[in-house]
Amino acid sequence: MIRLQGIERIFDVGGQQVHALRQIDLDINAGDYISIMGPSGSGKSTLLNIIGLLDRPSAGRYLFEQHDITALSDDEQAQVRRERIGFVFQFFHLVSRLTAAENIELPLILSGMPPSQRRERVAQTLKAYGLGERAHHRPEQLSGGQRQRVAIGRATIIEPGLLLADEPTGNLDRASGHEVVEILEQLNARGITLLVVTHDPELGQRARRRLRMVDGAIVEDTSRST
Amino acid sequence: MNPRDHLQFAFTALRGARLRSGLMLLAMAIGVAAVVVLSALGEGARRYVVGEFSSLGTHLLIVLPGRNETTGGAPPLTSETPRDLTLEDAEALKRSRHVRLVAPINVGSAAVSWGGREREAVIMGATHEIYEVRHFTMAQGRFLPPGDVRHPQPVAVLGAKLKRELFGTQSALGERIRIGDRRFRVIGVLQEQGQSLGMNTDELAIIPVMAAQSLFNVNSLFRILVEAPSRESIEPAQRHVIATLKARHDGEEDVTVITQESVLATFDRILGALTMTVAGIAAISLVVAGVLIMNVMLVAVAQRTVEIGLLKALGAPRPVILRLFLTEAALLSLLGAAIGLAVGQASTALLRQLYPALPFAAPSWAIIAAVLVALGTGLVFGVLPARRAARLDPVQALARR
């Protein structure tokens, strides 16, 4: 599904060049469950941003579903994100003035789906994540776990092939975190490719394939055969 | 993203920041209301003046002795004293089909007395024709009779106020009054009419023109009013008047002819320009409102960085984000303009109630211009913040909490 070849990412910080990613080669198959771990500043999030098309590599080739993505314009990349990629963030990033239902509806609005079809999809999603009662609550009226479930609902309502989660449990208590992880793993079980960046070794160990990064390079790539 | 969702998203964004949106609406509304009210004031003044002039009859030519001309050269060495206008001049003007009525006028001031009361009044020497030319109406009696101008009867017509001051509620008809050192019989009283052309006819006493000439001991006329039969005849009449008087004054063009139309057009132009100027000054406040919109939209973009980053992560391309913020600016401008229009029209209506004599009404060009300028400034000053939003780097935007 994803092939990275010789990916480099160099940041220019105050005139100094910082190598955030060095010569990353990575193949990800559809349906994979991968965790990326490593110390702060090791380039985990940068790698995730590049895979999620939020950032462009300084060098290298990126094939997404057999297409060379690096050659696309910003707006064409936006279309790929809109149709194929879902994001889950540590800080949820819900729009505070919109209700849970409206937050989940956002990607459908951006895709131009007519309102009648949207309503049904949103209702199904809310129900699937146990948020039926909370549809018309605003983010500040929801618990952390509920907020992250809204965020996952928003990321998956377009039925993306790839779900990227950056510290999805980093801002949650144990119980809510566990709940969220189970939802993500259920999604993976239904075929979605799941990529999780985390500090939490317990969460990281659950993935079938585990990458360890240090100083912008992948130093360890272990797969569990199940 | 379909247009309805687009509008709704922009609208909820504005509702999400009530204070900010409210302030911007206020600024826009004040600007638009100022344009509406000020242009209504200017337009009201213009219509009032034009209306006043029109009430005098628009086919009027006023002939004055002397030539009003600004040549800009040195003063002439041989002084050219213009010849006076005489009754003979007035009679000569009648001989044209472009002239319907000729009314010679003399004006002076004299004491008018009856019984024990005396009043200083403006005395107008005139003929029967002035009645029609100046659109007088009689309250009582009749006006100066037609007939031999050179051998006038000693009769007088009084303005309503002058009559009241001399006679009170008593009847004045047939009474003998004294004007200066002569006696006149009152044959009529004018209907109350008020100010017109700078002369209050209510305080006037009108006597035959020859009587006035001998009263004031002059042979000349103050001016001659000429009425043309139609609008088309005004120009030929003007040429006729000038040619006739030039021939009678030894080939010298020493009179000035003012047409009512030209006076009207001049006032119309001056007051129209004044309205434009005032409206223009008010429009500056609209531009100020535009700058305010830009400022507040920039703050909005800064505050909503995360949201913009999120929209980008969800796959909103740049043009969509640009349009969302422009829509917000346009919505604010339009709503502000609508409120401003309502307030402006309400104030104008209030002014009309307070001053019924003045026809206050904002001209439609001012209303259309105000709304367009409001929308224009909102969009122009909305572009910079919107572009800033569209250009945000999603990674950095989302890095903030």
Side-chain angles (χ1 to χ4, degrees):
Chain A
M1 181 181 200
I2 287 171
R3 168 162 293 175
L4 301 180
Q5 293 174 329
I7 294 289
E8 302 256 333
R9 181 69 173 102
I10 300 165
F11 290 111
D12 196 39
V13 182
Q16 260 194 320
Q17 300 215 319
V18 177
H19 246 89
L21 295 177
R22 303 165 195 268
Q23 287 297 323
I24 301 282
D25 295 305
L26 182 65
D27 281 319
I28 298 173
N29 296 319
D32 264 357
Y33 177 11
I34 302 176
S35 69
I36 307 176
M37 303 215 285
S40 298
S42 58
K44 318 185 285 289
S45 292
T46 305
L47 181 60
L48 195 78
N49 287 335
I50 283 177
I51 292 173
L53 299 176
L54 292 176
D55 197 4
R56 284 172 178 273
S58 311
R61 227 157 77 94
Y62 175 12
L63 297 177
F64 183 88
E65 294 179 331
Q66 281 85 52
H67 299 289
D68 190 344
I69 286 294
T70 36
L72 296 184
S73 74
D74 282 2
D75 291 343
E76 286 166 330
Q77 291 195 349
Q79 191 189 347
V80 175
R81 285 200 298 275
R82 198 159 67 229
E83 291 168 359
R84 301 296 300 149
I85 304 176
F87 290 93
V88 176
F89 306 97
Q90 179 178 3
F91 299 110
F92 324 130
H93 292 324
L94 300 178
V95 180
S96 57
R97 65 169 180 279
L98 301 179
T99 64
E102 286 166 339
N103 266 291
I104 291 176
E105 195 182 13
L106 261 183
L108 300 182
I109 291 176
L110 287 173
S111 74
M113 183 183 280
S116 51
Q117 291 178 38
R118 288 198 314 243
R119 218 163 299 132
E120 186 144 335
R121 288 273 287 273
V122 171
Q124 280 173 7
T125 305
L126 282 164
K127 213 172 130 197
Y129 295 112
L131 293 163
E133 309 271 296
R134 302 259 145 196
H136 301 295
H137 287 64
R138 287 181 204 284
E140 78 258 15
Q141 298 165 311
L142 301 174
S143 72
Q146 286 168 337
R147 288 185 207 184
Q148 196 59 301
R149 278 185 276 154
V150 171
I152 295 171
R154 184 180 63 193
T156 54
I157 194 161
I158 48 160
E159 294 170 351
L162 177 63
L163 185 60
L164 303 175
D166 195 350
E167 303 277 10
T169 59
N171 221 24
L172 298 176
D173 59 56
R174 262 190 94 75
S176 315
H178 194 73
E179 212 174 75
V180 163
V181 170
E182 286 202 330
I183 291 174
L184 292 176
E185 287 175 354
Q186 279 165 22
L187 286 165
N188 174 249
R190 272 186 270 139
I192 204 165
T193 311
L194 177 62
L195 206 65
V196 180
V197 164
T198 184
H199 266 109
D200 178 2
E202 197 186 326
L203 173 57
Q205 291 306 319
R206 295 172 70 104
R208 282 193 298 279
R209 182 177 171 193
R210 297 176 298 277
L211 306 179
R212 170 165 286 283
M213 289 184 72
V214 174
D215 283 342
I218 296 172
V219 294
E220 208 181 307
D221 183 350
T222 48
S223 293
R224 185 171 52 208
S225 45
T226 29
Chain B
M1 198 163 174
N2 72 48
R4 235 190 73 194
D5 293 325
H6 197 99
L7 267 179
Q8 200 175 352
F9 189 87
F11 192 71
T12 56
L14 291 179
R15 233 181 23 196
R18 271 166 219 267
L19 181 65
R20 196 160 65 205
S21 306
L23 283 175
M24 285 202 275
L25 284 181
L26 185 68
M28 254 316 160
I30 288 174
V32 172
V35 172
V36 169
V37 171
L38 288 177
S39 64
L41 285 177
E43 179 73 0
R46 191 186 68 82
R47 285 206 216 166
Y48 176 74
V49 170
V50 169
E52 282 291 290
F53 269 90
S54 303
S55 74
L56 294 173
T58 41
H59 310 149
L60 200 63
L61 289 84
I62 303 167
V63 185
L64 314 170
R67 182 102 190 112
N68 274 346
E69 213 169 27
T70 322
T71 50
L77 292 172
T78 54
S79 75
E80 295 173 51
T81 315
R83 286 163 189 75
D84 290 333
L85 286 172
T86 62
L87 262 178
E88 288 73 33
D89 287 337
E91 271 158 6
L93 292 181
K94 283 179 188 166
R95 285 174 231 119
S96 164
R97 66 186 173 88
H98 295 302
V99 171
R100 197 168 79 89
L101 293 168
V102 174
I105 296 179
N106 236 324
V107 173
S109 167
V112 181
S113 58
W114 178 77
R117 294 180 202 172
E118 190 178 274
R119 262 270 171 282
E120 191 71 16
V122 176
I123 312 298
M124 181 160 95
T127 60
H128 177 72
E129 281 79 10
I130 193 78
Y131 184 72
E132 226 178 303
V133 170
R134 291 292 295 268
H135 302 281
F136 288 142
T137 43
M138 302 304 293
Q140 289 159 22
R142 56 199 175 84
F143 197 70
L144 301 177
D148 191 353
V149 178
R150 294 189 190 285
H151 302 97
Q153 298 172 320
V155 291
V157 174
L158 301 183
K161 191 178 169 201
L162 183 62
K163 182 258 163 192
R164 233 183 3 256
E165 287 176 349
L166 285 177
F167 293 91
T169 52
Q170 293 179 46
S171 170
L173 291 186
E175 296 293 331
R176 295 197 165 270
I177 57 171
R178 181 177 280 279
I179 300 177
D181 54 358
R182 280 149 211 265
R183 292 181 156 277
F184 291 87
R185 189 161 53 86
V186 177
I187 57 168
V189 177
L190 289 176
Q191 187 78 259
E192 206 138 350
Q193 201 180 22
Q195 199 87 16
S196 89
L197 262 187
M199 192 185 277
N200 193 341
T201 53
D202 297 343
E203 296 172 353
L204 215 57
I206 304 171
I207 59 175
V209 66
M210 276 299 277
Q213 286 197 352
S214 62
L215 181 69
F216 299 124
N217 195 23
V218 291
N219 285 314
S220 59
L221 294 172
F222 175 60
R223 52 190 59 173
I224 303 173
L225 303 182
V226 176
E227 194 181 293
S230 67
R231 202 191 167 99
E232 292 70 43
S233 291
I234 290 174
E235 274 204 44
Q238 187 173 7
R239 279 198 300 275
H240 161 73
V241 167
I242 290 172
T244 308
L245 293 179
K246 192 173 171 182
R248 291 182 54 83
H249 292 182
D250 306 327
E252 218 172 283
E253 204 180 307
D254 58 357
V255 294
T256 302
V257 179
I258 301 169
T259 63
Q260 179 105 17
E261 287 247 312
S262 71
V263 176
L264 197 64
T266 306
F267 268 99
D268 201 21
R269 263 203 314 280
I270 292 171
L271 291 166
L274 193 75
T275 306
M276 296 263 292
T277 310
V278 173
I281 292 170
I284 292 174
S285 66
L286 278 179
V287 176
V288 174
V291 176
L292 187 69
I293 284 195
M294 173 161 72
N295 186 25
V296 176
M297 290 300 290
L298 282 173
V299 173
V301 170
Q303 283 186 350
R304 281 157 62 189
T305 301
V306 174
E307 179 187 327
I308 296 161
L310 173 78
L311 286 174
K312 288 202 153 187
L314 293 180
R318 282 179 189 207
V320 167
I321 291 172
L322 190 75
R323 256 182 280 140
L324 277 176
F325 277 85
L326 276 183
T327 307
E328 284 186 31
L331 268 180
L332 278 176
S333 308
L334 276 183
L335 270 175
I339 295 171
L341 270 187
V343 171
Q345 296 286 31
S347 318
T348 308
L350 187 69
L351 279 173
R352 271 200 302 269
Q353 290 278 317
L354 293 176
Y355 306 99
L358 292 173
F360 292 120
S364 48
W365 62 259
I367 291 173
I368 294 168
V371 173
L372 287 183
V373 171
L375 185 59
T377 52
L379 284 179
V380 166
F381 289 108
V383 165
L384 182 73
R387 283 174 60 156
R388 182 170 289 188
R391 283 199 191 135
L392 275 178
D393 173 14
V395 173
Q396 286 182 18
L398 287 170
R400 308 205 337 190
R401 328 177 30 172

mmCIF file of all heavy atoms in Angstrom, chain B residues 177-192:
data_model
loop_
_atom_site.group_PDB
_atom_site.id
_atom_site.type_symbol
_atom_site.label_atom_id
_atom_site.label_comp_id
_atom_site.label_asym_id
_atom_site.label_seq_id
_atom_site.Cartn_x
_atom_site.Cartn_y
_atom_site.Cartn_z
ATOM 1 N N ILE B 177 -54.844 104.519 2.269
ATOM 2 C CA ILE B 177 -53.620 104.475 3.061
ATOM 3 C C ILE B 177 -52.640 105.473 2.495
ATOM 4 O O ILE B 177 -52.805 105.993 1.381
ATOM 5 C CB ILE B 177 -52.972 103.080 3.060
ATOM 6 C CG1 ILE B 177 -52.678 102.645 1.622
ATOM 7 C CG2 ILE B 177 -53.863 102.051 3.749
ATOM 8 C CD1 ILE B 177 -51.849 101.399 1.543
ATOM 9 N N ARG B 178 -51.600 105.778 3.269
ATOM 10 C CA ARG B 178 -50.580 106.707 2.818
ATOM 11 C C ARG B 178 -49.283 105.916 2.646
ATOM 12 O O ARG B 178 -48.891 105.158 3.536
ATOM 13 C CB ARG B 178 -50.422 107.804 3.862
ATOM 14 C CG ARG B 178 -49.410 108.853 3.520
ATOM 15 C CD ARG B 178 -49.389 109.932 4.581
ATOM 16 N NE ARG B 178 -50.475 110.892 4.429
ATOM 17 C CZ ARG B 178 -50.431 111.912 3.569
ATOM 18 N NH1 ARG B 178 -49.390 112.100 2.786
ATOM 19 N NH2 ARG B 178 -51.442 112.780 3.500
ATOM 20 N N ILE B 179 -48.702 106.069 1.471
ATOM 21 C CA ILE B 179 -47.380 105.475 1.239
ATOM 22 C C ILE B 179 -46.449 106.611 0.900
ATOM 23 O O ILE B 179 -46.665 107.322 -0.087
ATOM 24 C CB ILE B 179 -47.400 104.448 0.094
ATOM 25 C CG1 ILE B 179 -48.365 103.302 0.423
ATOM 26 C CG2 ILE B 179 -45.998 103.895 -0.155
ATOM 27 C CD1 ILE B 179 -48.502 102.273 -0.672
ATOM 28 N N GLY B 180 -45.401 106.797 1.708
ATOM 29 C CA GLY B 180 -44.544 107.954 1.526
ATOM 30 C C GLY B 180 -45.393 109.200 1.688
ATOM 31 O O GLY B 180 -46.098 109.360 2.684
ATOM 32 N N ASP B 181 -45.417 110.066 0.644
ATOM 33 C CA ASP B 181 -46.229 111.277 0.769
ATOM 34 C C ASP B 181 -47.464 111.214 -0.127
ATOM 35 O O ASP B 181 -48.051 112.216 -0.454
ATOM 36 C CB ASP B 181 -45.371 112.508 0.457
ATOM 37 C CG ASP B 181 -44.702 112.385 -0.900
ATOM 38 O OD1 ASP B 181 -44.888 111.320 -1.560
ATOM 39 O OD2 ASP B 181 -43.992 113.320 -1.318
ATOM 40 N N ARG B 182 -47.810 110.024 -0.578
ATOM 41 C CA ARG B 182 -48.965 109.902 -1.454
ATOM 42 C C ARG B 182 -50.041 109.023 -0.867
ATOM 43 O O ARG B 182 -49.755 108.192 -0.019
ATOM 44 C CB ARG B 182 -48.535 109.295 -2.806
ATOM 45 C CG ARG B 182 -47.903 110.326 -3.702
ATOM 46 C CD ARG B 182 -46.868 109.642 -4.579
ATOM 47 N NE ARG B 182 -45.783 110.571 -4.872
ATOM 48 C CZ ARG B 182 -45.744 111.312 -5.991
ATOM 49 N NH1 ARG B 182 -46.676 111.187 -6.883
ATOM 50 N NH2 ARG B 182 -44.754 112.154 -6.186
ATOM 51 N N ARG B 183 -51.236 109.207 -1.416
ATOM 52 C CA ARG B 183 -52.354 108.408 -0.906
ATOM 53 C C ARG B 183 -52.717 107.339 -1.938
ATOM 54 O O ARG B 183 -52.673 107.583 -3.137
ATOM 55 C CB ARG B 183 -53.579 109.315 -0.686
ATOM 56 C CG ARG B 183 -53.365 110.285 0.444
ATOM 57 C CD ARG B 183 -54.621 111.129 0.639
ATOM 58 N NE ARG B 183 -54.674 111.627 1.992
ATOM 59 C CZ ARG B 183 -55.145 110.922 3.011
ATOM 60 N NH1 ARG B 183 -55.614 109.708 2.816
ATOM 61 N NH2 ARG B 183 -55.154 111.436 4.233
ATOM 62 N N PHE B 184 -53.082 106.175 -1.424
ATOM 63 C CA PHE B 184 -53.499 105.061 -2.306
ATOM 64 C C PHE B 184 -54.738 104.415 -1.714
ATOM 65 O O PHE B 184 -54.930 104.433 -0.495
ATOM 66 C CB PHE B 184 -52.391 104.008 -2.405
ATOM 67 C CG PHE B 184 -51.173 104.474 -3.163
ATOM 68 C CD1 PHE B 184 -50.152 105.158 -2.506
ATOM 69 C CD2 PHE B 184 -51.064 104.243 -4.531
ATOM 70 C CE1 PHE B 184 -49.043 105.594 -3.207
ATOM 71 C CE2 PHE B 184 -49.946 104.682 -5.230
ATOM 72 C CZ PHE B 184 -48.926 105.361 -4.575
ATOM 73 N N ARG B 185 -55.555 103.866 -2.591
ATOM 74 C CA ARG B 185 -56.737 103.153 -2.130
ATOM 75 C C ARG B 185 -56.434 101.647 -2.194
ATOM 76 O O ARG B 185 -55.910 101.139 -3.196
ATOM 77 C CB ARG B 185 -57.937 103.467 -3.020
ATOM 78 C CG ARG B 185 -59.264 102.929 -2.477
ATOM 79 C CD ARG B 185 -60.431 103.653 -3.142
ATOM 80 N NE ARG B 185 -60.320 103.605 -4.598
ATOM 81 C CZ ARG B 185 -60.771 102.587 -5.355
ATOM 82 N NH1 ARG B 185 -61.353 101.551 -4.796
ATOM 83 N NH2 ARG B 185 -60.654 102.630 -6.662
ATOM 84 N N VAL B 186 -56.731 100.958 -1.098
ATOM 85 C CA VAL B 186 -56.458 99.513 -1.062
ATOM 86 C C VAL B 186 -57.538 98.798 -1.856
ATOM 87 O O VAL B 186 -58.721 98.971 -1.587
ATOM 88 C CB VAL B 186 -56.446 98.984 0.386
ATOM 89 C CG1 VAL B 186 -56.226 97.463 0.389
ATOM 90 C CG2 VAL B 186 -55.373 99.685 1.195
ATOM 91 N N ILE B 187 -57.129 98.016 -2.880
ATOM 92 C CA ILE B 187 -58.130 97.302 -3.673
ATOM 93 C C ILE B 187 -58.023 95.781 -3.499
ATOM 94 O O ILE B 187 -58.857 95.028 -3.971
ATOM 95 C CB ILE B 187 -58.022 97.642 -5.177
ATOM 96 C CG1 ILE B 187 -56.611 97.309 -5.680
ATOM 97 C CG2 ILE B 187 -58.379 99.092 -5.432
ATOM 98 C CD1 ILE B 187 -56.510 97.333 -7.181
ATOM 99 N N GLY B 188 -56.984 95.324 -2.813
ATOM 100 C CA GLY B 188 -56.871 93.860 -2.659
ATOM 101 C C GLY B 188 -55.843 93.484 -1.603
ATOM 102 O O GLY B 188 -54.977 94.278 -1.246
ATOM 103 N N VAL B 189 -55.981 92.266 -1.122
ATOM 104 C CA VAL B 189 -55.009 91.707 -0.172
ATOM 105 C C VAL B 189 -54.545 90.359 -0.722
ATOM 106 O O VAL B 189 -55.350 89.535 -1.153
ATOM 107 C CB VAL B 189 -55.637 91.515 1.226
ATOM 108 C CG1 VAL B 189 -54.623 90.860 2.172
ATOM 109 C CG2 VAL B 189 -56.127 92.836 1.782
ATOM 110 N N LEU B 190 -53.210 90.143 -0.698
ATOM 111 C CA LEU B 190 -52.652 88.890 -1.242
ATOM 112 C C LEU B 190 -52.841 87.741 -0.266
ATOM 113 O O LEU B 190 -52.844 87.923 0.948
ATOM 114 C CB LEU B 190 -51.150 89.046 -1.512
ATOM 115 C CG LEU B 190 -50.739 89.947 -2.678
ATOM 116 C CD1 LEU B 190 -49.221 90.037 -2.717
ATOM 117 C CD2 LEU B 190 -51.278 89.390 -3.988
ATOM 118 N N GLN B 191 -52.971 86.566 -0.837
ATOM 119 C CA GLN B 191 -52.970 85.340 -0.035
ATOM 120 C C GLN B 191 -51.582 85.154 0.569
ATOM 121 O O GLN B 191 -50.577 85.492 -0.047
ATOM 122 C CB GLN B 191 -53.267 84.156 -0.970
ATOM 123 C CG GLN B 191 -53.470 82.849 -0.282
ATOM 124 C CD GLN B 191 -54.851 82.753 0.338
ATOM 125 O OE1 GLN B 191 -54.984 82.931 1.534
ATOM 126 N NE2 GLN B 191 -55.863 82.533 -0.458
ATOM 127 N N GLU B 192 -51.562 84.626 1.768
ATOM 128 C CA GLU B 192 -50.268 84.382 2.419
ATOM 129 C C GLU B 192 -49.438 83.418 1.557
ATOM 130 O O GLU B 192 -49.916 82.384 1.114
ATOM 131 C CB GLU B 192 -50.496 83.760 3.795
ATOM 132 C CG GLU B 192 -49.378 84.041 4.739
ATOM 133 C CD GLU B 192 -49.867 84.386 6.140
ATOM 134 O OE1 GLU B 192 -51.076 84.589 6.346
ATOM 135 O OE2 GLU B 192 -49.017 84.473 7.010
#
